[in-house]
Amino acid sequence: QVQLVESGGGLVQAGGSLRLSCATSRSIFSFNFMGWYRQAPGKERELVAIITDGGTTNYADSVKDRFTISRDNAKNTVYLQMNSLEPEDTGAYYCRTVGALGNSWGQGTQVTVSS
């Protein structure tokens, strides 16, 4: 089983920045990909960004050029740098891993962007 612990959420004004972290209990190389998803109140959970085991990244159109996903292999941690935040980015952000150990989700961290 994979344990994921997210951190870094908070309240920020529009235009500000936050960096989310997701620490895993397994080596990053155990996963086919790692990703960040978010869920706004009353909406379905949506993909924000993913990074594959080969380092390929993919982003939702709404966050391209503002968010960057990265990883630290030594720390078994994946990050989401969020810049130029907008009120529409408000929601609970979840880390997800997919690989031979299955599909795992973190508990989520709240991001609130005020206008």
Side-chain angles (χ1 to χ4, degrees):
Q1 188 169 355
V2 178
Q3 304 296 326
L4 304 174
V5 179
E6 299 117 328
S7 61
L11 173 64
V12 65
Q13 288 188 332
S17 299
L18 285 173
R19 188 176 81 154
L20 306 183
S21 300
C22 173
T24 75
S25 60
R26 300 279 187 165
S27 167
I28 280 183
F29 299 108
S30 302
F31 311 120
N32 297 121
F33 74 84
M34 304 178 70
W36 287 96
Y37 294 71
R38 69 185 179 191
Q39 188 166 17
K43 295 187 176 181
E44 293 190 354
R45 192 171 297 186
E46 63 176 1
L47 170 71
V48 176
I50 62 168
I51 183 166
T52 70
D53 52 357
T56 301
T57 58
N58 195 21
Y59 298 90
D61 288 342
S62 60
V63 307
K64 279 181 181 176
D65 301 324
R66 299 189 297 122
F67 291 10
T68 303
I69 189 170
S70 63
R71 67 188 185 199
D72 186 325
N73 299 338
K75 294 182 179 180
N76 294 326
T77 299
V78 64
Y79 303 98
L80 185 68
Q81 178 66 43
M82 306 185 294
N83 299 327
S84 301
L85 282 160
E86 304 169 351
E88 293 74 22
D89 296 316
T90 294
Y93 283 67
Y94 298 89
C95 179
R96 180 189 182 196
T97 61
V98 174
L101 295 171
N103 179 22
S104 299
W105 292 89
Q107 81 287 354
T109 184
Q110 179 67 33
V111 171
T112 303
V113 183
S114 63
S115 57

